[in-house]
C-alpha cells in the first residue's frame, strides 16, 4: 500500500520482540511465544485479584445510597444499605473500602435494626482495606446490611473542583470516577466487575446545584429547591459504573432519548457538537440489538476530567476538550455509546479481561463511525490509533503487550495502555476478515444477547468463540493463532491495516517539504480534516530546526490551535525541539487540561532534558492542584522518576 506500513514506519526498538501473527491459518505460534505464555494460559483461574470480596459466599445484589455532599469539607457522608445474598452457612460478607471512615454497621430493616460486628483489615497499598462484617445465623439467605460512613477528602474516586476550575466560575463541581477500583473510595461495596447490582440513591446537595447519576435522571431542567435528588438504576451493573456528578448543570435535549447535561455556558455548544448521537444510537441498535438502558445522555465535565470519556450507563461522562466546533472528535461519543453493549451489557469479569470491554468497544466505534461519517474517516481514525499503539508498544514490557494483561500486585490504572483497545480491535478486525463481515456481525449480535447483563472472563469468551464461530466454520483460524493474539506480545503483520489515499498524499507532500522540494505555501491544506492534520503532524520528522518550526507555525498557526488533539501533537514537536515561542501556550494548556491522554505524553517528553524538566516542574506545581488524583498520581511518577536520573 502507498502509506508507509505500520511495520515499516520509523524505528522501533520493540521490533525484535514483536512477533507477526500471520493470516495463514496453518501457521503455528512461534515456539518462543508459546513458551512465554503457556503459563499465562494454563495457570489462570477466575478470581478478581483486585477485590477482597468473596462473592461466591455472600454477594451484594442491590444497594441504596443516602449521601450528603459537603463541598466545604470535601466529604460525602451517609449510608449504604446493601442487600446481601449468601450461601448456606456463610457467616461473613466482605466489602472493599479505601480510606473510608466507617461509623457503624447494622443488620436488618429499619424496624428491627441490630448492630453488627465488623472489622477493617490492614491497608493494602493498591486495594485499600477489607471490611469484614459478621452475618448472624438467622436462617435467612437475604440480609440487609447498612454501613454508615464518611469519605476522605483524598478519596481517589472523587474530584472536588473549585469554582475557578469550572466554565461558569461561580459554583463548585464534584464528579466521581469509579473505574477501575475507585468506587470503594466513596461507597463500601464489593468493588469487582464480577458482581452486578441494581441501585437507588438519595443525594443531598446545595440548593443551587444539580445532582446527576448513572441512573434515571430528571430531565425536566427544574432545580430541586430542597437540593434532594432521587435516582434509580433498575438494571444490574458492576460497581465501576456507579457514578455521580454535582454542579451548576442544565439539560439540553438532542433527541427524544438523548441529551446533554452541562454547565450553562457550554451546554448549547455541546448539544450542537454531539447532535449525531441519536444517529449513532440507531446504527448501533441495528448492528448489535436494542439499546437496553432507556435514555442515553451525556454529562460534560470541566477540563480536569482525567479521561476522554467514561461510559457510565445512561449518562456517559465526557471531557469538554472534544468540543472542537466541527464534530472532528466525536468518535469519543461513538466509543462511550458502544460501551452500552460491550462493557455495560457484557462486562469484563476482572481487570485482566479489560480488552473484552475496550477492544470490542474500539471495534464497534469504527463500525459506528463508518456508518455515520463514511469509511474514509473511520479508516483514518483507525490508522491513527494503530500508529499510536505501535509507538506505545515499543515502551511496554512483553507481558503487558498481550490482550489478557495480568495486573496482579499492581493498580490496574498503572497498567493502562492502548493494548486492550487497539490490539483488541485488530484482533476482532482480523476475525472479521477471516469469517466475513456478515457472519461476524451475526456472531457479535448473538454474543451480546447471550451474555447480556453478565460479567465474563477471557476464557469464557474464547470458549464461546470456539463454539459459535471456529467450530461452525472450520479451517479458517487455529486455536494457536487465537492464543497468540490473546496471550502473546507483539503486533500482527501489515495486511490488517486499512489503506488511506488521503494519508498517502500527505506523505508525498510532507516528504517534498522535508526534502526542500516544496515550500509550505505550496501545500494546499484547505480541504484537510483534523485527522489529516494529525497524520501530517504525527509523522513529521522528530528533529526539526527552529526555522522549520517557525515556518510551520507561521503557515498553519499551530501554537494557537483550538483543537486539543492538534495542539497536543504540535506541542510534542515544540518540546522535542525547544521551540521557545510556543512555551507560554504549552504552559496554559498543561494548566487548563487534566485529561491524561493529552498531558501525560507532554510531561514524558519534557522530563527528557534538564531545561525542559525545570519547566515541567514549575508548570506542574501550578497545574497539580487542578488535576484529578489519578492524573496527579501519573504525573507525580513521571516527575519523581526523572529526578532520580
Ligand atoms: N472506560 C474507559 C475509561 C477507563 C478505562 C477508565 C480504564 C479507567 C480504567 C473509557 O471508555 C475510555 O476508553 N475512554 C477513552 C476514550 C477513547 C479511547 C475514545 C479515553 O478516555 O481516552
Ligand atoms: Zn472505553
Amino acid at each position: 500500500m502507498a502509506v508507509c506500513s505500520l511495520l515499516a514506519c520509523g524505528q522501533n526498538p520493540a521490533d525484535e520482540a514483536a512477533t507477526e501473527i500471520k493470516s495463514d491459518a496453518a501457521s503455528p505460534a512461534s515456539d518462543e511465544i508459546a513458551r512465554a505464555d503457556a503459563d499465562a494460559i494454563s495457570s489462570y483461574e477466575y478470581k478478581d485479584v483486585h477485590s477482597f470480596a468473596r462473592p461466591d459466599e455472600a454477594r451484594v445484589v442491590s444497594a441504596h445510597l443516602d449521601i450528603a455532599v459537603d463541598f466545604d469539607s470535601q466529604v460525602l457522608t451517609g449510608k449504604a444499605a446493601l442487600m446481601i445474598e449468601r450461601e448456606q452457612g456463610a457467616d461473613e460478607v466482605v466489602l472493599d473500602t479505601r480510606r473510608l471512615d466507617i461509623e457503624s454497621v447494622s443488620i436488618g430493616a429499619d424496624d428491627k435494626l441490630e448492630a453488627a460486628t465488623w472489622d477493617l483489615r490492614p491497608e493494602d497499598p493498591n486495594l485499600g482495606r477489607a471490611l469484614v462484617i459478621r452475618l448472624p445465623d438467622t436462617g435467612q439467605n437475604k440480609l440487609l446490611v447498612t454501613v454508615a460512613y464518611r469519605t476522605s477528602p483524598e478519596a481517589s474516586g472523587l474530584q472536588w473542583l473549585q469554582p475557578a476550575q469550572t466554565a461558569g466560575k461561580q459554583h463548585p463541581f464534584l464528579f466521581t470516577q469509579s473505574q477501575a477500583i475507585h468506587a470503594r473510595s466513596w461507597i463500601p461495596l464489593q468493588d469487582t466487575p464480577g458482581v452486578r447490582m441494581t441501585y437507588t440513591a438519595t443525594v443531598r446537595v446545595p440548593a443551587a446545584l444539580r445532582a446527576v447519576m448513572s441512573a434515571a435522571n430528571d430531565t425536566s431542567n427544574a432545580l430541586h429547591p430542597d437540593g434532594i435528588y432521587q435516582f434509580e438504576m433498575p438494571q444490574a451493573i458492576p460497581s465501576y459504573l456507579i457514578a455521580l456528578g454535582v454542579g451548576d448543570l442544565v439539560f439540553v435535549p438532542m433527541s427524544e432519548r438523548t441529551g446533554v447535561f452541562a454547565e450553562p455556558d457550554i451546554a448549547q455548544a455541546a448539544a450542537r457538537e454531539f447532535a449525531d448521537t441519536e444517529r449513532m444510537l440507531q446504527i448501533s441498535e441495528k448492528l448489535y440489538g436494542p439499546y437496553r438502558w432507556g435514555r442515553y445522555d451525556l454529562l460534560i465535565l470541566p477540563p480536569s476530567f482525567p479521561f476522554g470519556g467514561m461510559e457510565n450507563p445512561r449518562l456517559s461522562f465526557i471531557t469538554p476538550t472534544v468540543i472542537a466546533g466541527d464534530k472532528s472528535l466525536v468518535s469519543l461519543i461513538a466509543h462511550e455509546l458502544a460501551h452500552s453493549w460491550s462493557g455495560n451489557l457484557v462486562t469484563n469479569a476482572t481487570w485482566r479481561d479489560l480488552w473484552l470491554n475496550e477492544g470490542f468497544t474500539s471495534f464497534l466505534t469504527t463500525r459506528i463511525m463508518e456508518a455515520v461519517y463514511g469509511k474514509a474517516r473511520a479508516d483514518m481514525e483507525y490508522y491513527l490509533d494503530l500508529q499510536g499503539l505501535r509507538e506505545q508498544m515499543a515502551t511496554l514490557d512483553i507481558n503487558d503487550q498481550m490482550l489478557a494483561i495480568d495486573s496482579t500486585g499492581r493498580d490496574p490504572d498503572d497498567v493502562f495502555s492502548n493494548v486492550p483497545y487497539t490490539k483488541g480491535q485488530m484482533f476482532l478486525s482480523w476475525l472479521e476478515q477471516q469469517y466475513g463481515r456478515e457472519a461476524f456481525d451475526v456472531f457479535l449480535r448473538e454474543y451480546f444477547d447471550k451474555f447480556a447483563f453478565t460479567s465474563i472472563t477471557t476464557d469464557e469468551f474464547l470458549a464461546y468463540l470456539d463454539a459459535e464461530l471456529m467450530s461452525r466454520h472450520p479451517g479458517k483460524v487455529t486455536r494457536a493463532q487465537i492464543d497468540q493474539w490473546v496471550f502473546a506480545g507483539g503486533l500482527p503483520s501489515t495486511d490488517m491495516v486499512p489503506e488511506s489515499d488521503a494519508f498517502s498524499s500527505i506523505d508525498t507532500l510532507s516528504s517534498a517539504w522535508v526534502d526542500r522540494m516544496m515550500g509550505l505555501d505550496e501545500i494546499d491544506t484547505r480541504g484537510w480534516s483534523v485527522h489529516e492534520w494529525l497524520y501530517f503532524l504525527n509523522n513529521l520528522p522528530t528533529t526539526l530546526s527552529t526555522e522549520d518550526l517557525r515556518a510551520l507555525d507561521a503557515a498553519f498557526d499551530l501554537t494557537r490551535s483550538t483543537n486539543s488533539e492538534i495542539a497536543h501533537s504540535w506541542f510534542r514537536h515544540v518540546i522535542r525541539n525547544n521551540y521557545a515561542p510556543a512555551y507560554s501556550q504549552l504552559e496554559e494548556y498543561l494548566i487548563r487540561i487534566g485529561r491524561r491522554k493529552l498531558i501525560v505524553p507532554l510531561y514524558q517528553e519534557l522530563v527528557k532534558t534538564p531545561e525542559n524538566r525545570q519547566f515541567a516542574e514549575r508548570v506542574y506545581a501550578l497545574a497539580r492542584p487542578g488535576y484529578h488524583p489519578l492524573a496527579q498520581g501519573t504525573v507525580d511518577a513521571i516527575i519523581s522518576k526523572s529526578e532520580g536520573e
Side-chain angles (χ1 to χ4, degrees):
M1 80 187 233
V3 172
C4 66
S5 77
L6 279 176
L7 287 181
C9 261
Q11 264 76 57
N12 181 350
D15 277 354
E16 281 141 51
T19 328
E20 284 197 9
I21 295 167
K22 307 242 170 54
S23 319
D24 166 10
S27 71
S30 92
D31 278 358
E32 191 194 334
I33 295 297
R35 234 183 307 113
D37 302 300
D39 292 351
I41 300 166
S42 59
S43 66
Y44 184 73
E45 263 177 66
Y46 169 45
K47 156 96 184 87
D48 182 358
V49 295
H50 295 107
S51 169
F52 293 112
R54 301 196 302 263
D56 45 334
E57 295 169 22
R59 71 164 60 210
V60 176
V61 294
S62 69
H64 176 70
L65 298 179
D66 188 331
I67 47 177
V69 177
D70 183 351
F71 280 94
D72 293 332
S73 58
Q74 305 202 327
V75 159
L76 303 179
T77 317
K79 290 178 180 169
L82 309 173
M83 184 56 76
I84 310 284
E85 261 180 37
R86 62 169 158 178
E87 292 301 310
Q88 195 87 39
D91 57 3
E92 282 179 357
V93 62
V94 184
L95 306 180
D96 294 295
T97 74
R98 181 186 258 159
R99 306 200 64 167
L100 292 183
D101 200 351
I102 306 297
E103 278 159 15
S104 66
V105 182
S106 51
I107 294 188
D110 278 347
D111 51 339
K112 233 184 112 223
L113 264 187
E114 283 182 31
T117 309
W118 54 275
D119 176 30
L120 261 184
R121 296 284 155 84
E123 168 116 14
D124 174 284
N126 291 320
L127 308 182
R129 303 177 72 175
L131 173 59
V132 181
I133 301 166
R134 279 205 79 75
L135 300 176
D137 186 9
T138 56
Q140 298 155 306
N141 71 338
K142 272 195 159 190
L143 286 170
L144 187 66
V145 171
T146 302
V147 183
Y149 68 100
R150 302 163 62 80
T151 61
S152 153
E154 279 82 48
S156 59
L158 302 176
Q159 191 179 10
W160 301 87
L161 299 177
Q162 302 296 334
Q165 291 176 270
T166 66
K169 317 278 181 218
Q170 301 298 314
H171 298 280
F173 202 109
L174 165 71
F175 64 85
T176 65
Q177 168 59 39
S178 296
Q179 195 182 10
I181 55 170
H182 304 287
R184 66 190 66 176
S185 76
W186 66 284
I187 313 172
L189 39 55
Q190 293 184 317
D191 198 11
T192 165
V195 170
R196 310 178 78 95
M197 70 202 106
T198 57
Y199 79 84
T200 52
T202 302
V203 181
R204 299 155 203 278
V205 303
L209 304 183
R210 176 192 306 274
V212 289
M213 287 192 86
S214 56
N217 283 293
D218 175 3
T219 55
S220 71
N221 229 343
L223 276 183
H224 298 190
D226 55 3
I228 300 177
Y229 292 80
Q230 311 274 359
F231 301 94
E232 186 183 8
M233 169 43 88
Q235 287 104 336
I237 57 167
S239 57
Y240 78 90
L241 294 175
I242 304 181
L244 168 69
V246 181
D248 178 17
L249 297 170
V250 294
F251 177 74
V252 180
M254 298 190 292
S255 71
E256 272 290 298
R257 58 177 169 170
T258 71
V260 166
F261 287 97
E263 288 189 69
D265 291 9
I266 57 167
Q268 292 299 339
R272 274 196 304 276
E273 193 83 17
F274 306 133
D276 297 332
T277 306
E278 175 65 33
R279 270 174 75 201
M280 294 178 175
L281 191 39
Q282 286 174 11
I283 278 152
S284 311
E285 289 191 294
K286 222 168 107 198
L287 287 169
Y288 306 115
Y291 177 77
R292 309 196 198 207
W293 305 91
R295 295 193 56 83
Y296 181 70
D297 295 316
L298 308 174
L299 170 64
I300 314 302
L301 292 150
S304 69
F305 183 54
F307 292 99
M310 178 63 214
E311 66 272 25
N312 298 315
R314 294 181 185 222
L315 184 67
S316 288
F317 284 21
I318 302 295
T319 174
T321 62
V322 294
I323 306 176
D326 57 3
K327 301 186 178 175
S328 57
L329 305 178
V330 298
S331 65
L332 176 78
I333 308 298
H335 178 102
E336 302 313 335
L337 172 67
H339 273 305
S340 306
W341 287 264
S342 44
N344 300 4
L345 200 55
V346 183
T347 307
N348 50 212
T350 76
W351 298 114
R352 175 182 183 262
D353 313 304
L354 178 68
W355 74 276
L356 294 178
N357 278 15
E358 298 300 347
F360 278 64
T361 294
S362 301
F363 179 84
L364 266 53
T365 303
T366 300
R367 293 297 311 275
I368 298 168
M369 291 304 288
E370 180 180 327
V372 180
Y373 301 100
K375 187 163 168 18
R377 172 164 173 183
D379 280 353
M380 281 194 241
E381 295 188 344
Y382 182 31
Y383 196 92
L384 289 169
D385 287 346
L386 289 167
Q387 283 200 323
L389 171 66
R390 178 160 175 71
E391 191 185 324
Q392 194 180 47
M393 207 70 157
T395 68
L396 295 175
D397 184 275
I398 186 96
N399 290 308
D400 292 343
Q401 296 181 8
M402 59 180 79
L403 289 179
I405 301 168
D406 182 1
S407 56
T408 307
R410 296 184 282 178
D411 184 327
D413 293 334
D414 297 339
V415 188
F416 189 80
S417 80
N418 291 330
V419 170
Y421 289 77
T422 309
K423 186 172 170 182
Q425 177 171 6
M426 292 178 93
F427 175 40
L428 297 187
S429 302
W430 176 77
L431 285 172
E432 187 191 52
Q433 271 176 19
Q434 310 310 310
Y435 292 103
R437 183 165 269 196
E438 207 178 313
F440 197 62
D441 277 352
V442 171
F443 168 76
L444 282 180
R445 196 191 151 134
E446 288 176 355
Y447 165 74
F448 292 129
D449 280 345
K450 158 97 182 166
F451 294 104
F453 297 109
T454 67
S455 304
I456 68 167
T457 62
T458 296
D459 303 273
E460 283 170 287
F461 168 71
L462 294 182
Y464 184 75
L465 177 70
D466 198 351
E468 298 303 318
L469 218 43
M470 294 164 68
S471 305
R472 285 195 190 174
H473 311 273
K476 293 200 188 293
V477 312
T478 66
R479 181 69 205 200
Q481 286 177 308
I482 302 285
D483 283 348
Q484 199 171 2
W485 271 106
V486 179
F487 302 108
L491 276 184
S493 59
T494 50
D495 57 355
M496 309 267 326
V497 176
E499 300 207 18
S500 165
D501 292 341
F503 285 173
S504 16
S505 60
I506 289 177
D507 280 333
T508 313
L509 294 169
S510 174
S511 324
W513 175 65
V514 170
D515 297 340
R516 299 287 182 266
M517 311 286 283
M518 202 174 175
L520 287 176
D521 53 341
E522 292 168 83
I523 302 185
D524 183 3
T525 61
R526 276 172 305 178
W528 281 10
S529 67
V530 166
H531 309 98
E532 286 161 287
W533 276 109
L534 288 173
Y535 182 81
F536 172 71
L537 290 170
N538 291 349
N539 291 286
L540 283 173
T542 46
T543 306
L544 290 165
S545 68
T546 305
E547 290 74 61
D548 284 341
L549 289 160
R550 207 189 305 280
L552 285 163
D553 208 10
F556 307 131
D557 209 8
L558 295 163
T559 300
R560 294 195 310 161
S561 173
T562 52
N563 185 292
S564 60
E565 295 275 0
I566 291 181
H568 168 86
S569 184
W570 168 243
F571 286 142
R572 294 185 69 185
H573 290 293
V574 164
I575 298 167
R576 284 192 196 116
N577 299 289
N578 298 298
Y579 178 60
Y583 272 65
S584 68
Q585 282 301 116
L586 170 62
E587 175 169 347
E588 188 276 327
Y589 186 94
L590 290 170
I591 292 173
R592 178 169 47 91
I593 297 177
R595 182 178 169 193
R596 283 201 308 186
K597 179 187 153 203
L598 295 178
I599 58 169
V600 165
L602 300 181
Y603 282 108
Q604 281 169 335
E605 203 63 59
L606 280 167
V607 297
K608 287 183 184 165
T609 67
E611 242 174 55
N612 277 335
R613 186 158 62 77
Q614 245 180 14
F615 171 87
E617 280 173 8
R618 182 178 65 74
V619 173
Y620 184 45
L622 301 170
R624 191 180 188 281
Y627 287 173
H628 186 280
L630 272 173
Q632 289 178 347
T634 313
V635 181
D636 284 352
I638 296 169
I639 301 273
S640 65
K641 196 168 149 222
S642 82
E643 265 164 9
E645 280 164 8

